[in-house]
Amino acid sequence: MSSYLSWLAPRRNRLILCAVLVAAPIATALGVPLPYTVLQPGISVNTLGSYQGTQVITITGHPTRQTDGQLRMTTIAATLPDYSPRLPEIVSAWGDPNRAVVPRDSVYPSGQSVSQANQVNQQAMQQSQESATTAALGFLGLSSSQVHVDLKLADVGGPSAGLMFTLGIIDELNGNGSGKQGAAGDLTGGSVVAGTGEIDDTGNVGAVGGVSLKTKAAARDGATVFLVPRGECSDAEVDTPKGLRLVPVTTLDQAVKALEALQSGDAAAVPAC
Protein backbone atom coordinates (compact mmCIF):
# COMPACT_ATOMS: atom_id res chain seq x y z
CA MET A 1 0.00 0.00 0.00
CA SER A 2 2.78 2.37 0.94
CA SER A 3 4.59 1.74 -2.32
CA TYR A 4 1.38 2.42 -4.17
CA LEU A 5 0.94 5.69 -2.29
CA SER A 6 4.54 6.63 -2.88
CA TRP A 7 3.89 6.19 -6.64
CA LEU A 8 0.51 7.92 -6.62
CA ALA A 9 1.72 11.10 -4.97
CA PRO A 10 4.37 11.99 -7.59
CA ARG A 11 1.90 11.11 -10.39
CA ARG A 12 -0.73 13.38 -8.88
CA ASN A 13 1.83 16.19 -8.65
CA ARG A 14 2.76 15.73 -12.30
CA LEU A 15 -0.90 15.94 -13.33
CA ILE A 16 -1.39 19.12 -11.32
CA LEU A 17 1.73 20.65 -12.89
CA CYS A 18 0.50 19.84 -16.40
CA ALA A 19 -2.88 21.40 -15.64
CA VAL A 20 -1.19 24.56 -14.37
CA LEU A 21 1.06 24.77 -17.44
CA VAL A 22 -1.99 24.53 -19.73
CA ALA A 23 -4.22 26.83 -17.73
CA ALA A 24 -1.64 29.56 -17.13
CA PRO A 25 -1.39 30.78 -20.76
CA ILE A 26 -5.18 30.67 -21.13
CA ALA A 27 -5.71 32.67 -17.98
CA THR A 28 -3.03 35.12 -19.09
CA ALA A 29 -4.57 35.50 -22.54
CA LEU A 30 -8.00 36.09 -21.08
CA GLY A 31 -6.73 38.99 -19.02
CA VAL A 32 -4.23 40.59 -21.39
CA PRO A 33 -5.37 43.75 -23.26
CA LEU A 34 -5.11 43.21 -27.01
CA PRO A 35 -4.44 45.82 -29.76
CA TYR A 36 -7.84 45.69 -31.43
CA THR A 37 -10.82 47.98 -31.84
CA VAL A 38 -14.40 46.74 -31.61
CA LEU A 39 -16.88 48.37 -33.98
CA GLN A 40 -20.68 48.36 -34.05
CA PRO A 41 -23.50 50.33 -35.71
CA GLY A 42 -23.59 53.89 -34.39
CA ILE A 43 -26.19 56.61 -34.55
CA SER A 44 -27.82 57.87 -37.71
CA VAL A 45 -28.92 61.49 -37.99
CA ASN A 46 -31.44 63.10 -40.33
CA THR A 47 -29.52 65.95 -41.94
CA LEU A 48 -32.85 67.63 -42.69
CA GLY A 49 -33.76 67.71 -39.00
CA SER A 50 -32.14 68.46 -35.68
CA TYR A 51 -29.71 66.62 -33.44
CA GLN A 52 -29.41 67.20 -29.70
CA GLY A 53 -31.74 70.17 -30.02
CA THR A 54 -29.79 71.94 -32.79
CA GLN A 55 -30.78 72.13 -36.46
CA VAL A 56 -28.20 70.23 -38.53
CA ILE A 57 -28.47 72.50 -41.59
CA THR A 58 -29.21 76.21 -41.28
CA ILE A 59 -29.36 78.27 -44.48
CA THR A 60 -29.55 82.04 -44.75
CA GLY A 61 -29.52 84.35 -47.76
CA HIS A 62 -31.83 82.16 -49.86
CA PRO A 63 -35.40 80.84 -49.52
CA THR A 64 -35.64 77.32 -48.15
CA ARG A 65 -38.36 74.72 -48.41
CA GLN A 66 -40.14 72.49 -45.92
CA THR A 67 -39.17 68.83 -46.33
CA ASP A 68 -41.10 65.73 -45.36
CA GLY A 69 -38.56 62.97 -46.03
CA GLN A 70 -35.32 62.12 -44.28
CA LEU A 71 -31.71 62.02 -45.43
CA ARG A 72 -29.86 60.15 -42.71
CA MET A 73 -26.09 60.12 -42.36
CA THR A 74 -24.81 56.97 -40.67
CA THR A 75 -21.97 56.24 -38.28
CA ILE A 76 -20.13 53.40 -36.62
CA ALA A 77 -19.28 53.35 -32.92
CA ALA A 78 -15.73 52.34 -32.06
CA THR A 79 -14.01 51.61 -28.78
CA LEU A 80 -11.68 54.46 -27.82
CA PRO A 81 -7.95 54.33 -28.67
CA ASP A 82 -7.00 54.00 -25.01
CA TYR A 83 -9.23 50.95 -24.57
CA SER A 84 -7.89 47.46 -25.22
CA PRO A 85 -10.43 44.62 -25.31
CA ARG A 86 -9.67 41.26 -23.70
CA LEU A 87 -9.91 37.95 -25.50
CA PRO A 88 -13.46 37.09 -24.32
CA GLU A 89 -14.80 40.38 -25.71
CA ILE A 90 -13.01 39.85 -29.02
CA VAL A 91 -14.31 36.29 -29.36
CA SER A 92 -17.82 37.49 -28.56
CA ALA A 93 -17.60 40.28 -31.15
CA TRP A 94 -16.27 37.89 -33.82
CA GLY A 95 -19.42 35.82 -33.43
CA ASP A 96 -21.77 38.81 -33.58
CA PRO A 97 -22.92 40.00 -37.05
CA ASN A 98 -23.61 43.43 -35.54
CA ARG A 99 -20.01 43.91 -34.43
CA ALA A 100 -16.60 43.77 -36.03
CA VAL A 101 -13.05 43.48 -34.72
CA VAL A 102 -10.21 45.23 -36.53
CA PRO A 103 -6.57 46.04 -35.66
CA ARG A 104 -6.52 49.23 -33.62
CA ASP A 105 -3.95 50.84 -35.95
CA SER A 106 -6.44 50.58 -38.82
CA VAL A 107 -8.74 52.96 -36.92
CA TYR A 108 -6.33 55.01 -34.84
CA PRO A 109 -2.73 55.75 -35.88
CA SER A 110 -0.24 54.19 -33.48
CA GLY A 111 0.18 56.14 -30.27
CA GLN A 112 -2.80 58.42 -30.87
CA SER A 113 -4.51 59.60 -27.68
CA VAL A 114 -8.24 60.13 -27.20
CA SER A 115 -7.86 63.90 -27.52
CA GLN A 116 -5.73 63.55 -30.64
CA ALA A 117 -8.24 61.15 -32.20
CA ASN A 118 -11.07 63.57 -31.46
CA GLN A 119 -9.11 66.45 -32.96
CA VAL A 120 -8.36 64.54 -36.15
CA ASN A 121 -12.00 63.44 -36.50
CA GLN A 122 -13.32 66.95 -35.91
CA GLN A 123 -10.94 68.38 -38.51
CA ALA A 124 -12.15 65.76 -40.99
CA MET A 125 -15.75 66.64 -40.16
CA GLN A 126 -15.09 70.36 -40.68
CA GLN A 127 -13.49 69.72 -44.07
CA SER A 128 -16.41 67.46 -44.96
CA GLN A 129 -18.90 70.21 -44.15
CA GLU A 130 -17.01 72.77 -46.21
CA SER A 131 -16.78 70.43 -49.21
CA ALA A 132 -20.47 69.53 -48.88
CA THR A 133 -21.45 73.19 -48.98
CA THR A 134 -19.20 73.90 -51.96
CA ALA A 135 -20.46 70.84 -53.86
CA ALA A 136 -24.14 71.57 -53.16
CA LEU A 137 -23.99 75.23 -54.12
CA GLY A 138 -21.96 74.39 -57.21
CA PHE A 139 -24.53 71.77 -58.22
CA LEU A 140 -27.30 74.36 -57.92
CA GLY A 141 -25.33 77.17 -59.54
CA LEU A 142 -25.49 79.34 -56.43
CA SER A 143 -22.79 81.56 -54.97
CA SER A 144 -21.44 81.22 -51.45
CA SER A 145 -21.27 85.02 -51.30
CA GLN A 146 -25.10 85.14 -51.34
CA VAL A 147 -26.00 81.87 -49.63
CA HIS A 148 -24.62 80.97 -46.21
CA VAL A 149 -24.83 77.38 -44.98
CA ASP A 150 -24.12 76.48 -41.37
CA LEU A 151 -23.73 72.79 -40.52
CA LYS A 152 -23.73 71.50 -36.94
CA LEU A 153 -23.45 67.91 -35.75
CA ALA A 154 -22.15 67.66 -32.20
CA ASP A 155 -20.04 64.71 -31.05
CA VAL A 156 -19.73 63.22 -34.53
CA GLY A 157 -16.42 63.20 -36.38
CA GLY A 158 -14.89 62.02 -39.63
CA PRO A 159 -15.63 62.73 -43.30
CA SER A 160 -18.29 60.12 -44.03
CA ALA A 161 -21.32 62.43 -43.73
CA GLY A 162 -20.25 64.49 -46.74
CA LEU A 163 -22.66 63.06 -49.30
CA MET A 164 -25.68 63.22 -47.00
CA PHE A 165 -24.85 66.79 -45.94
CA THR A 166 -24.68 67.76 -49.61
CA LEU A 167 -28.01 66.15 -50.47
CA GLY A 168 -29.58 67.78 -47.41
CA ILE A 169 -28.48 71.25 -48.53
CA ILE A 170 -29.81 70.62 -52.04
CA ASP A 171 -33.13 69.32 -50.70
CA GLU A 172 -33.66 72.34 -48.47
CA LEU A 173 -32.78 74.81 -51.23
CA ASN A 174 -34.25 73.16 -54.32
CA GLY A 175 -35.69 69.71 -53.60
CA ASN A 176 -36.07 67.68 -56.76
CA GLY A 177 -36.40 70.86 -58.83
CA SER A 178 -40.14 70.51 -59.40
CA GLY A 179 -41.06 73.46 -57.21
CA LYS A 180 -43.62 71.34 -55.37
CA GLN A 181 -43.95 71.48 -51.60
CA GLY A 182 -43.58 68.61 -49.17
CA ALA A 183 -42.93 65.03 -50.22
CA ALA A 184 -43.77 65.59 -53.89
CA GLY A 185 -40.93 68.08 -54.15
CA ASP A 186 -38.44 66.26 -51.94
CA LEU A 187 -35.37 64.50 -53.26
CA THR A 188 -36.49 61.58 -51.10
CA GLY A 189 -40.11 61.55 -52.22
CA GLY A 190 -40.99 61.72 -48.53
CA SER A 191 -39.23 58.45 -47.67
CA VAL A 192 -36.28 57.68 -45.40
CA VAL A 193 -33.01 57.54 -47.31
CA ALA A 194 -29.69 56.85 -45.60
CA GLY A 195 -26.16 56.71 -46.87
CA THR A 196 -22.49 57.33 -46.44
CA GLY A 197 -19.60 58.66 -48.46
CA GLU A 198 -16.95 61.33 -48.39
CA ILE A 199 -17.40 64.16 -50.90
CA ASP A 200 -15.01 66.64 -52.46
CA ASP A 201 -15.67 70.17 -53.70
CA THR A 202 -16.56 68.97 -57.20
CA GLY A 203 -19.02 66.30 -56.04
CA ASN A 204 -16.96 63.13 -56.29
CA VAL A 205 -18.03 60.51 -53.72
CA GLY A 206 -15.30 58.51 -51.97
CA ALA A 207 -15.19 55.36 -49.86
CA VAL A 208 -15.19 55.65 -46.07
CA GLY A 209 -15.29 52.14 -44.57
CA GLY A 210 -17.55 50.42 -42.07
CA VAL A 211 -20.38 50.16 -44.59
CA SER A 212 -21.64 46.74 -43.47
CA LEU A 213 -22.30 48.18 -40.00
CA LYS A 214 -23.76 51.45 -41.30
CA THR A 215 -26.41 49.60 -43.30
CA LYS A 216 -27.60 48.07 -40.03
CA ALA A 217 -27.80 51.50 -38.41
CA ALA A 218 -29.79 52.74 -41.41
CA ALA A 219 -32.29 49.87 -41.35
CA ARG A 220 -32.67 50.15 -37.58
CA ASP A 221 -33.72 53.79 -38.02
CA GLY A 222 -36.26 53.19 -40.76
CA ALA A 223 -34.34 53.66 -44.01
CA THR A 224 -35.40 51.73 -47.10
CA VAL A 225 -32.66 53.07 -49.41
CA PHE A 226 -28.94 53.25 -48.72
CA LEU A 227 -26.57 55.30 -50.89
CA VAL A 228 -23.13 53.69 -50.90
CA PRO A 229 -19.85 54.56 -52.64
CA ARG A 230 -19.67 52.15 -55.57
CA GLY A 231 -16.29 50.82 -54.52
CA GLU A 232 -17.82 49.56 -51.27
CA CYS A 233 -20.67 47.56 -52.79
CA SER A 234 -19.15 44.21 -51.83
CA ASP A 235 -18.83 45.31 -48.20
CA ALA A 236 -22.36 46.69 -48.16
CA GLU A 237 -23.74 43.40 -49.47
CA VAL A 238 -22.44 41.52 -46.41
CA ASP A 239 -25.50 40.64 -44.33
CA THR A 240 -27.54 43.52 -45.79
CA PRO A 241 -30.67 44.10 -43.70
CA LYS A 242 -33.87 42.87 -45.30
CA GLY A 243 -35.82 45.62 -47.05
CA LEU A 244 -32.82 47.94 -47.51
CA ARG A 245 -32.05 48.79 -51.14
CA LEU A 246 -28.40 49.49 -51.94
CA VAL A 247 -27.79 52.25 -54.48
CA PRO A 248 -24.13 52.69 -55.50
CA VAL A 249 -22.87 56.12 -56.59
CA THR A 250 -19.56 57.72 -57.50
CA THR A 251 -20.70 61.33 -57.90
CA LEU A 252 -23.25 63.74 -56.48
CA ASP A 253 -24.96 63.93 -59.85
CA GLN A 254 -25.47 60.16 -59.86
CA ALA A 255 -26.91 60.29 -56.35
CA VAL A 256 -29.45 62.98 -57.28
CA LYS A 257 -30.45 61.18 -60.47
CA ALA A 258 -30.86 57.90 -58.60
CA LEU A 259 -33.16 59.53 -56.04
CA GLU A 260 -35.18 61.15 -58.82
CA ALA A 261 -35.49 57.78 -60.59
CA LEU A 262 -36.62 56.11 -57.37
CA GLN A 263 -39.27 58.77 -56.94
CA SER A 264 -40.54 58.45 -60.49
CA GLY A 265 -40.61 54.66 -60.32
CA ASP A 266 -38.07 54.23 -63.10
CA ALA A 267 -36.39 51.14 -61.64
CA ALA A 268 -34.18 50.62 -64.71
CA ALA A 269 -32.49 53.99 -64.10
CA VAL A 270 -31.54 53.14 -60.51
CA PRO A 271 -28.09 51.57 -60.20
CA ALA A 272 -27.59 48.47 -58.07
CA CYS A 273 -24.66 46.75 -56.44
Side-chain angles (χ1 to χ4, degrees):
M1 178 69 68
S2 60
S3 62
Y4 175 77
L5 288 176
S6 64
W7 175 85
L8 179 61
R11 181 173 183 272
R12 181 186 60 191
N13 291 339
R14 288 196 297 271
L15 290 173
I16 292 173
L17 177 61
C18 289
V20 170
L21 291 175
V22 171
I26 296 175
T28 301
L30 289 174
V32 169
L34 298 171
Y36 291 93
T37 295
V38 179
L39 309 174
Q40 63 185 32
I43 63 168
S44 77
V45 177
N46 178 22
T47 61
L48 299 172
S50 62
Y51 177 65
Q52 294 185 353
T54 301
Q55 196 68 22
V56 176
I57 300 174
T58 302
I59 299 173
T60 55
H62 191 283
T64 58
R65 52 185 303 279
Q66 181 66 42
T67 59
D68 286 348
Q70 297 183 28
L71 288 164
R72 303 193 74 90
M73 56 79 65
T74 52
T75 68
I76 55 174
T79 52
L80 295 175
D82 61 352
Y83 176 78
S84 297
R86 270 62 172 177
L87 185 59
E89 183 177 357
I90 290 174
V91 171
S92 175
W94 271 331
D96 185 347
N98 290 314
R99 290 191 291 170
V101 179
V102 297
R104 185 164 53 211
D105 285 351
S106 69
V107 180
Y108 305 109
S110 181
Q112 194 177 68
S113 67
V114 175
S115 61
Q116 288 171 328
N118 288 338
Q119 183 178 9
V120 169
N121 283 331
Q122 286 306 311
Q123 288 173 344
M125 171 61 83
Q126 181 62 37
Q127 181 58 55
S128 174
Q129 293 173 343
E130 293 172 2
S131 294
T133 299
T134 300
L137 296 183
F139 180 85
L140 296 173
L142 297 174
S143 171
S144 58
S145 62
Q146 295 172 318
V147 184
H148 178 71
V149 179
D150 187 28
L151 299 172
K152 284 188 170 62
L153 196 58
D155 303 326
V156 178
S160 67
L163 174 60
M164 303 311 288
F165 278 144
T166 308
L167 293 172
I169 296 168
I170 293 171
D171 209 13
E172 290 201 5
L173 286 170
N174 191 61
N176 58 21
S178 68
K180 298 178 180 179
Q181 295 300 311
D186 286 351
L187 277 177
T188 63
S191 61
V192 180
V193 174
T196 191
E198 186 174 0
I199 201 161
D200 67 16
D201 292 357
T202 59
N204 293 308
V205 178
V208 289
V211 171
S212 64
L213 296 175
K214 291 178 180 178
T215 57
K216 294 175 175 62
R220 178 198 66 206
D221 294 341
T224 55
V225 173
F226 189 87
L227 301 175
V228 58
R230 179 170 287 280
E232 295 187 283
C233 263
S234 58
D235 290 339
E237 289 179 303
V238 175
D239 196 28
T240 307
K242 185 177 180 180
L244 186 67
R245 181 172 187 169
L246 300 177
V247 178
V249 298
T250 57
T251 66
L252 172 60
D253 185 65
Q254 287 179 0
V256 172
K257 287 181 177 177
L259 292 177
E260 291 173 347
L262 283 168
Q263 190 171 8
S264 68
D266 185 5
V270 182
C273 284

